Amino acid sequence: MSLITKKIKGTEDVLPKESFKWQFVEKIMRNEAENYGFKEIRTPVFEHTELFARGVGQTTDVVQKEMYTFDTKGGESVTLRPEGTAGAARAVLEHAVLNDGLPVKVSYFVSCYRYEKPQAGRLREFHQFGLEEYGTADPVADAELICAAQSIFDRLQIKELHLEINSIGCPKCRAEYHKALREYFEKYKDKLCDTCLSRLEKNPMRILDCKSPEDKKIAENAPKVIDYLCEDCNEHFEKVKTYLDGAGVKYIVNPSIVRGLDYYTKTVFEFVTDYIGSQGTVCGGGRYDGLIEELGGQHVPSLGFAMGIERLLMLMDNQGIEIPKSDTCDLYIAGLGDKAKLKAFELIKQIRESGLKGETDVVGRGLRAQMKYADKIGAKFSMVLGDNEIEESKAKIKNMETGEQVEISLTESFAQEFFQVYTQNRNRLIAGV
Ligand code: ATP
Ligand code: MG
């Protein structure tokens, strides 16, 4: 077989035998978002480039190296979204959603695009689930947001995923800190990579997020932002910890977390694991009190997180967490001959209209092959229709597991009668008899 083309490097297909896993985690995420009062927002996959340049930050890796940016035929520069926060904030501002009363809490599922070196857990198209909350400076909101992420992981029965938190302060304390960082890194000027050299001038905190091993080593002994927090930021951080303690959420303070995007202020956090190799951050988030203003809005303190669905599924796989398969076929009707085939087609429609899952032959197989197929798709019940059954307007429903058979009529009440057999059987199963 020679295909004319294959999928683009760094992208993945989700095949039918795997999609139930995505549906399961998405269901839990949706459900938990609702429990916490977040409502879904959907935004376009591409935006004007300046949204990300300004929102995510000129000095971030995402903007400097990873964006899929192109000019449209009309000569506009557009970018495939590399993350979900900027688009959600843009939409909320554009439609004056913040006037409806604060806080505004939104959730989203987005595909994201970053030109990265593809490897396990690092793709060029990947998917995020995120929550964003606008219009609260209260540390209880930081704790509530972290709790929401933790409850999702708990409900998915994930273990060994550790919450690490830090505070990276506000622009006021950051000025002092940047000075200290510059002084420290000046001493290693001839050892830093080229990117970090330019970061030294523009945004020295970015050096702490450099992935090069030599720079990482130098960064180990750099001054810690947590020692430079102003009184207000310090108090905020202490309160976040108190609320997390109150909610029984376990965490460690990791003073090296700075996050990869420029918009963060005060609280930042990551959920990390050793179970999926070196790309171990499954979820990242924090407060971004300056973003809404940066995008042209008023001062609206806000916060959010995003989790990578591919990394999450990889983690669940590696921990052997079993994901329930979506329900299989309830009834398979096999038809023998033209008349029976037509009847099977009519009856299976009734079954589907009654809300159950039904299948019948659509490829012209013989009886044996049809029954083999019913077995393969895990049909709970089956029924064979031939000339006799059509004539008598009656047929036998067979329980595929026990072999037990019950006769039902092939009239308008067919679906209802089948439903009775189906529920009796299920009740017996539940009762264990
Ligand atoms: P990393 O440090 O691993 O590059 P990041 O700081 O760039 O992550 P964020 O922008 O905060 O990540 O995105 C939030 C989450 O999205 C990450 O924790 C991760 O689970 C997921 N993610 C980010 N980039 C990728 C990618 N290229 N492929 C798969 N998942 C990703
Ligand atoms: Mg990254």
Side-chain angles (χ1 to χ4, degrees):
M1 199 163 58
S2 101
L3 298 179
I4 63 152
T5 184
K6 291 197 171 162
K7 69 181 168 63
I8 288 175
K9 192 170 157 191
T11 66
E12 273 179 1
D13 300 304
V14 179
L15 300 175
K17 64 171 191 240
E18 297 280 329
S19 54
F20 73 96
K21 296 182 182 174
W22 284 73
Q23 288 164 350
F24 179 76
V25 301
E26 283 168 5
K27 196 156 117 193
I28 300 247
M29 287 166 178
R30 274 213 170 88
N31 194 258
E32 216 46 37
E34 272 170 27
N35 289 351
Y36 275 82
F38 290 80
K39 294 210 163 65
E40 191 180 357
I41 189 164
R42 298 188 189 198
T43 63
V45 75
F46 55 177
E47 298 270 4
H48 293 294
T49 301
E50 61 256 39
L51 173 68
F52 303 115
R54 285 289 285 276
V56 177
Q58 288 286 3
T59 59
T60 61
D61 276 1
V62 170
V63 172
Q64 282 189 337
K65 303 190 232 164
E66 299 170 2
M67 292 208 301
Y68 279 91
T69 297
F70 55 94
D71 286 338
T72 63
K73 285 181 182 161
E76 269 181 315
S77 177
V78 301
T79 294
L80 299 184
R81 65 178 165 225
E83 52 96 67
T85 300
R90 197 259 320 130
V92 159
L93 279 173
E94 190 166 336
H95 303 285
V97 182
L98 301 177
N99 294 348
D100 298 345
L102 300 175
V104 167
K105 298 161 98 172
V106 303
S107 66
Y108 57 78
F109 287 95
V110 286
S111 56
C112 300
Y113 303 85
R114 296 187 192 174
Y115 198 76
E116 300 207 69
K117 195 166 156 239
Q119 52 198 289
R122 198 171 284 289
L123 295 157
R124 289 182 173 171
E125 182 189 65
F126 63 97
H127 297 79
Q128 288 185 340
F129 165 73
L131 296 182
E132 313 284 349
E133 178 160 2
Y134 312 96
T136 165
D138 195 316
V140 72
D142 307 39
E144 185 191 59
L145 183 79
I146 292 172
C147 280
Q150 182 68 62
S151 344
I152 290 171
F153 299 133
D154 289 345
R155 285 192 56 190
L156 293 172
Q157 297 180 17
I158 291 169
K159 304 166 290 283
E160 305 290 324
L161 183 62
H162 307 287
L163 168 62
E164 300 189 347
I165 61 171
N166 192 22
S167 174
I168 56 170
C170 62
K172 205 168 80 197
C173 28
R174 197 115 19 109
E176 271 300 296
Y177 180 55
H178 278 181
K179 219 168 91 194
L181 275 182
R182 278 198 191 99
E183 263 167 36
Y184 175 82
F185 284 118
E186 279 293 335
K187 291 183 285 186
Y188 300 95
K189 239 177 150 172
D190 47 340
K191 295 204 176 88
L192 291 175
C193 73
D194 286 349
T195 324
C196 281
L197 270 182
S198 73
R199 285 167 169 159
L200 191 55
E201 279 315 306
K202 291 185 207 134
N203 189 350
M205 222 165 76
R206 279 273 74 78
I207 304 176
L208 303 176
D209 208 32
C210 182
K211 306 275 193 284
S212 126
E214 292 96 68
D215 292 19
K216 256 189 178 161
K217 188 116 197 71
I218 298 170
E220 265 170 25
N221 296 318
K224 302 284 181 257
V225 59
I226 210 154
D227 298 326
Y228 289 80
L229 296 184
C230 66
E231 217 179 297
D232 184 34
C233 287
N234 208 17
E235 196 189 325
H236 185 96
F237 194 44
E238 287 308 313
K239 282 193 175 152
V240 172
K241 289 192 278 184
T242 307
Y243 283 118
L244 287 176
D245 292 336
V249 174
K250 296 209 168 47
Y251 57 85
I252 60 160
V253 175
N254 177 353
S256 339
I257 298 179
V258 292
R259 305 292 307 126
L261 314 178
D262 269 355
Y263 47 57
Y264 288 112
T265 51
K266 294 187 177 166
T267 318
V268 288
F269 61 91
E270 289 184 350
F271 283 85
V272 293
T273 181
D274 292 330
Y275 269 77
I276 51 173
S278 50
Q279 318 307 328
T281 309
V282 172
C283 174
R287 196 164 257 293
Y288 47 84
D289 289 346
L291 178 67
I292 298 296
E293 228 169 330
E294 185 67 34
L295 297 180
Q298 293 181 326
H299 178 71
V300 184
S302 305
L303 60 161
F305 71 67
M307 47 181 81
I309 300 184
E310 285 86 353
R311 286 190 198 175
L312 188 70
L313 284 169
M314 218 157 87
L315 173 61
M316 291 176 74
D317 233 31
N318 291 357
Q319 291 192 342
I321 297 169
E322 217 164 295
I323 298 179
K325 283 211 162 120
S326 48
D327 258 1
T328 50
C329 175
D330 295 312
L331 174 65
Y332 184 90
I333 306 182
L336 201 62
D338 285 348
K339 263 195 201 155
K341 197 169 171 175
L342 177 60
K343 191 72 186 169
F345 187 63
E346 287 166 16
L347 293 176
I348 218 65
K349 186 156 179 277
Q350 276 188 37
I351 291 293
R352 289 166 177 162
E353 280 167 0
S354 76
L356 292 172
K357 297 181 187 70
E359 290 283 345
T360 186
D361 178 51
V362 289
V363 286
R365 288 188 171 119
L367 185 61
R368 270 179 64 144
Q370 287 189 49
M371 293 318 290
K372 216 167 137 187
Y373 181 74
D375 228 19
K376 188 180 156 206
I377 62 171
K380 295 185 187 108
F381 293 88
S382 69
M383 184 172 98
V384 177
L385 294 185
D387 289 344
N388 275 354
E389 282 78 10
I390 305 291
E391 217 159 277
E392 290 173 20
S393 202
K394 277 185 198 147
K396 286 192 175 127
I397 297 279
K398 181 175 163 191
N399 182 322
M400 295 285 275
E401 210 174 285
T402 61
E404 218 177 324
Q405 302 206 33
V406 185
E407 195 171 71
I408 68 173
S409 61
L410 308 180
T411 57
E412 281 90 70
S413 62
F414 171 72
Q416 251 173 338
E417 281 188 43
F418 173 69
F419 190 66
Q420 267 172 14
V421 176
Y422 177 84
T423 42
Q424 270 165 15
N425 188 76
R426 202 183 50 185
N427 292 345
R428 271 187 5 222
L429 263 179
I430 294 168
V433 286

